[in-house]
Amino acid sequence: MSSSDRRTRVTVLVALGANLLIAVAKAVGGLVSGSPALLSEAAHSVADSFNEVFLLAALRRSRRPADRRHPFGYGKERFFWSLLAAVGIFVMGGCFSFFQGVEAFRSDAEESFGGYVAGLVVLGVALLAEGGSLLRAVHQARGEVGKGTRDTKGALRDPALRTVIAEDGTAVLGVTLALAGMALHMVTGQVVWEASASLAIGVLLVCVAFWLGRDARAQLIGEAADPELSREIHALLAAQPEIDSVEALFTMKTGLDSTLVAARIDLVPGLDSERVEEVAVRIKRSVAHAVPEAGEIFLDVTDAAAQEAARSPAATGERGGA
């Protein structure tokens, strides 16, 4: 496991420990006070706890070496478990929060604020704990940025770290909404404030789940490398003396720090078959040395002039001329 993964693992474990303790405290406080906003936050923390387990699985499983069944490795496991985390936020957090908010609007029970003071204390402690976990995740993200990551998203290219930051940031906002809803409920005696806070927490969780899920989906179905990395690889290929032109370049992320590269190149005239093989091997080694992320490199040697002839009106049967 790399040093970056070890730091991310510690960050996830810190978030998991905080969420487990907070989930129990929120659930007890919510049941004692009957607060829908506090119960929604308890569901939020339970969802986050499950998600941290998913992320720990992602960190462990994504680093397995390639084998015959998975020749490109298991790097996309990281994206799969992050997708499950997004689904968990949506189902366990967002849907339950909506349910609590609707039930609070429909409830005609008499209000009792006996346990609300304890509930507010629980939320205050939760705010400190979630804030501490968020600060650690943000600190790690800034440290990764300082190391010069190639990803245009900076350190947030790691879906595990990105998910922890999103969860903790959402938790801080959610706790703030719950505190405001409970306080306004106590002051005005109207449950509408707390029910609205619960619905707002639900909307927040659904939006975060959609954002995380969309990102994981893009990476699972085969997202191209970042434009900066693609431009660097294209420039390296074009600079090779034996390459006349780079006809096409295709890239796909196969993991957090691994990319599949496939290029269609036209070599300079006069190279025999044995020389072409030697040149291809040298170019692959050159690209792999300059761009460590390029885990697999495939070169398709083509004849640009022949391709142009094949696309000409005479070859395709299309009508040419003005």
Side-chain angles (χ1 to χ4, degrees):
M1 182 178 289
S2 66
S3 59
S4 177
D5 275 3
R6 283 194 291 270
R7 288 192 297 271
T8 300
R9 186 171 181 269
V10 172
T11 298
V12 173
L13 287 172
V14 169
L16 175 61
N19 280 318
L20 285 174
L21 292 174
I22 293 168
V24 173
K26 288 177 180 177
V28 172
L31 292 173
V32 170
S33 64
S35 164
L38 193 51
L39 288 174
S40 295
E41 272 301 300
H44 181 183
S45 294
V46 170
D48 285 352
S49 299
F50 276 105
N51 293 340
E52 258 81 63
V53 175
F54 291 155
L55 297 180
L56 289 173
L59 290 171
R60 181 176 62 86
R61 296 177 65 87
S62 65
R63 290 298 179 183
R64 289 183 294 171
D67 53 33
R68 181 176 297 179
R69 192 171 182 182
H70 295 88
F72 295 109
Y74 291 82
K76 288 194 174 186
E77 286 256 21
R78 210 159 187 135
F79 310 139
F80 169 74
W81 291 100
S82 296
L83 179 62
L84 288 188
V87 173
I89 293 174
F90 177 83
V91 175
M92 291 185 287
C95 292
F96 186 78
S97 295
F98 279 124
F99 171 77
Q100 284 295 317
V102 172
E103 283 296 302
F105 273 118
R106 295 172 56 188
S107 177
D108 294 326
E110 289 188 19
E111 301 300 329
S112 173
F113 301 112
Y116 267 49
V117 174
L120 291 173
V121 172
V122 168
L123 287 178
V125 173
L127 185 62
L128 293 175
E130 298 285 10
S133 179
L134 176 61
L135 287 175
R136 174 179 172 79
V138 171
H139 175 72
Q140 182 184 342
R142 288 178 175 174
E144 296 291 334
V145 169
K147 295 178 181 179
T149 177
R150 293 181 183 275
D151 202 313
T152 55
K153 293 178 181 177
L156 297 186
R157 69 191 180 106
D158 185 345
L161 183 56
R162 182 167 60 244
T163 301
V164 171
I165 291 177
E167 285 180 353
D168 289 344
T170 305
V172 169
L173 289 175
V175 170
T176 303
L177 288 171
L179 279 169
M182 289 180 67
L184 289 170
H185 185 186
M186 293 180 67
V187 171
T188 65
Q190 297 183 11
V191 74
V192 63
W193 293 106
E194 204 167 347
S196 298
S198 187
L199 291 176
I201 293 170
V203 171
L204 182 64
L205 292 175
V206 167
C207 289
V208 170
F210 174 77
W211 175 65
L212 291 173
R214 182 186 61 183
D215 225 22
R217 171 185 171 274
Q219 293 166 325
L220 277 174
I221 64 178
E223 188 177 41
D226 299 295
E228 181 183 347
L229 182 61
S230 296
R231 285 192 294 269
E232 181 178 352
I233 295 173
H234 190 283
L236 282 169
L237 292 173
Q240 302 300 316
E242 297 88 354
I243 295 180
D244 194 26
S245 64
V246 180
E247 298 299 313
L249 176 64
F250 306 96
T251 61
M252 183 178 69
K253 294 179 181 178
T254 55
L256 180 61
D257 49 13
S258 61
T259 301
L260 183 149
V261 178
R264 187 175 296 124
I265 58 175
D266 179 27
L267 297 178
V268 296
L271 297 177
D272 57 32
S273 58
E274 189 173 326
R275 176 66 175 150
V276 166
E277 186 176 348
E278 293 176 359
V279 166
V281 172
R282 188 191 63 76
I283 291 174
K284 288 180 182 180
R285 288 176 178 172
S286 176
V287 173
H289 178 73
V291 185
E293 293 94 327
E296 298 289 343
I297 304 170
F298 299 93
L299 299 179
D300 178 21
V301 179
T302 186
D303 188 343
Q307 283 193 335
E308 288 297 327
R311 289 195 293 264
S312 70
T316 61
E318 297 178 0
R319 300 181 64 181

